[in-house]
Amino acid sequence: MPIFEYACRNCKSEFEVLVQGEQRPACPHCDSVKLAKKLSGFAVGAGVATAVSTGAPCGSCGDPRGPGACSLS
């Protein structure tokens, strides 16, 4: 059961909800079903952290290319 992030188009609140099967979520603040699915920060951060250098040295080996650049991390 995935957790999705939504923004309510009615009251503009943002929230996360656990969606089961074909369940249609509703805003917990105003009960509206007019929702916009947001891009999850968790999903975005999962691939970006290893692909983009932070400019800081790796904490495992000190490689200046950053975390994930060497075979130790």
Side-chain angles (χ1 to χ4, degrees):
M1 290 179 281
I3 296 176
F4 291 105
E5 295 181 34
Y6 291 94
C8 179
R9 292 182 178 161
N10 187 44
C11 72
K12 309 296 184 218
S13 67
E14 297 181 359
F15 58 94
E16 295 178 348
V17 66
L18 183 65
V19 179
Q20 299 177 0
E22 297 297 318
Q23 175 187 14
R24 187 167 180 178
C27 176
H29 302 284
C30 70
D31 292 325
S32 174
V33 292
K34 296 179 182 178
L35 307 175
K37 193 179 287 189
K38 296 180 58 176
L39 187 58
S40 171
F42 176 75
V44 172
V48 174
T50 57
V52 177
S53 174
T54 61
C58 176
S60 299
C61 69
D63 190 315
R65 294 176 293 171
C70 70
S71 62
L72 293 177
S73 51

